[in-house]
Amino acid sequence: MINIAIMGFGVVGSGVAETITLNAKAFAERTEGLELNVKYILDLREFPGHPLADRVVHEITPILEDEAVTIVVETMGGTNPAYDFSKKALLAGKSVVTSNKEVVAKHGAELQAIAREKGVSYLFEASVGGGIPIIRPMWQCLASNQIKSVTGILNGTCNYILTKMEKDKEDFETALKQSQELGYAERNPAADVEGMDTCRKISILSSLAYGKTVSTEDVICEGITKITYDDLVFARENGYSIKLLGRASKEDDGKVYVITAPFLVPKENALSTVNDVYNGISVVGNVVGDVLFCGRGAGSLPTASAVMADVLDVVRDCKKSIGWKDEKADFLGDMTCFATSNYIRTKAEENTIKTVFGAVNVSNRNGWNVFITEQIKNCELLTKLEKLSAEWVRIRVMQ
Ligand code: HSE
């Protein structure tokens, strides 16, 4: 019997317990008859009436002291106490499996190093892309490649909101509320809509792809809160969808440029068709070319699916050391100099726009002038936008 402790019994943690019951027979078949047993559930709350209510503990000590527990599932969210508890569990010689992107982005390299030292695993498949297999494929199946770029719709909540706004003309707040009810959003949904969740996920993917810690503080992070229905319609009429992307790309200067921001994605690009809670991640390797991963990016059972894949890896004794060096990335390029073309929505007059930007095609939508710029470096664009002396919103256009 394999004894597991689940730390955090919210949307994902309860999904993990449900999956263990639902797929018990299949898991036994895949682990030479071993039975998985949830021995402890660590949570501040009680769960009266739940079949596992008698497993609930409110402190980590019994889990750390119980040698029968070999795998700890961390689905608490937030940095602390999740980081502290994960570290303690690893130091106590237990493998840790997590869905916590905040901890992985911030402390992943350190926890991976502790796991290696203790001869156990620290696995985090569920931290990016919900149910989509992406960490292991990048680490294993694409290991023969140098990664040229990773571009992903990495937040289910934002993709759900943008889809609902565009297709059903729902307002932002209603769509956000629905995504909270469906268990997609973070406890504080600002992390979703202001881009930080995507930023953490692209930090994890770029650390994995390029071998050192890409810290979220070094990544430009913009969210979707300024996007309106009119922006989505303009995009559609001009052959684009608007998607919040996390993107890391290695350019000809050898530097890696990482950003989180909404982009106008051309209709010909498969990511433009990834809607609702789905995430899509395009990886370009120098040998394989393009690979696209797609699936449900948030929600209880899809995320539990990824958590349980890691648990099964530990059970099958596939000793895994997935990760990157505990060193700050020294390969990042300055994103403020990166050139893109841009969709601009502004209150400035058409004459002023043309004086500043030259012969652009300006149209009017509900009191706003909108246009698309030529390719221009971000720093130069900001100077020009300043010269408009009027309110503006910018969305980059994906090349
Ligand atoms: N809030 C996250 C999302 C959950 O919407 O993608 C999955 O990481």
Side-chain angles (χ1 to χ4, degrees), residues 101 126-127 130 154-158 184-186 192 197 201 279 297-299 303:
K101 50 261 160 143
S127 66
L154 300 172
N155 184 273
T157 302
C158 289
Y184 301 156
E186 299 299 297
D192 297 293
D197 182 76
K201 290 167 177 168
N279 283 190
T303 312

Side-chain angles (χ1 to χ4, degrees), residues 57-281:
V57 291
H58 303 299
E59 284 178 24
I60 194 175
T61 315
I63 298 172
L64 296 177
E65 288 178 351
D66 188 340
E67 285 184 8
V69 173
T70 49
I71 304 175
V72 173
V73 169
E74 188 271 294
T75 45
M76 306 178 80
T79 308
N80 269 311
Y83 160 66
D84 186 40
F85 287 0
S86 298
K87 193 168 170 174
K88 284 185 168 138
L90 291 168
L91 289 169
K94 301 171 194 307
S95 288
V96 174
V97 166
T98 185
S99 60
N100 190 328
K101 50 261 160 143
E102 204 169 330
V103 171
V104 178
K106 209 165 175 181
H107 302 289
E110 183 202 351
L111 296 174
Q112 291 149 20
I114 296 173
R116 274 195 296 274
E117 207 179 293
K118 300 299 281 184
V120 292
S121 298
Y122 181 69
L123 299 179
F124 47 95
E125 184 60 67
S127 66
V128 181
I132 306 174
I134 181 65
I135 301 291
R136 198 169 279 92
M138 277 186 63
W139 181 251
Q140 271 179 347
C141 318
L142 298 176
S144 55
N145 285 265
Q146 293 179 49
I147 303 299
K148 293 170 102 171
S149 66
V150 187
T151 309
I153 296 167
L154 300 172
N155 184 273
T157 302
C158 289
N159 211 31
Y160 180 87
I161 292 172
L162 292 174
T163 305
K164 288 284 162 192
M165 280 172 70
E166 189 197 338
K167 301 219 184 305
D168 302 339
K169 245 185 135 175
E170 263 177 20
D171 63 79
F172 186 96
E173 290 305 329
T174 309
L176 172 58
K177 196 158 175 288
Q178 282 172 4
S179 68
Q180 287 176 297
E181 283 161 8
L182 289 163
Y184 301 156
E186 299 299 297
R187 205 170 305 153
N188 176 3
D192 297 293
V193 298
E194 286 169 9
M196 189 42 78
D197 182 76
T198 297
C199 192
R200 288 174 184 136
K201 290 167 177 168
I202 194 63
S203 296
I204 294 170
L205 293 182
S206 41
S207 301
L208 195 63
Y210 302 108
K212 291 184 184 176
T213 301
V214 174
S215 141
T216 51
E217 286 90 48
D218 295 330
V219 178
I220 287 180
C221 178
E222 295 169 16
I224 62 163
T225 49
K226 290 183 184 154
I227 295 171
T228 63
Y229 175 69
D230 285 339
D231 296 331
L232 293 157
V233 172
F234 175 91
R236 186 173 62 212
E237 288 173 1
N238 287 276
Y240 300 97
S241 292
I242 299 180
K243 299 290 177 192
L244 179 66
L245 298 181
R247 179 168 166 77
S249 61
K250 191 163 186 179
E251 299 297 328
D252 294 342
D253 60 3
K255 299 276 184 200
V256 176
Y257 292 81
V258 191
I259 186 170
T260 293
F263 278 79
L264 268 67
V265 181
K267 289 283 182 206
E268 309 77 60
N269 188 307
L271 289 177
S272 76
T273 62
V274 176
N275 289 320
D276 290 296
V277 72
Y278 283 77
N279 283 190
I281 306 165

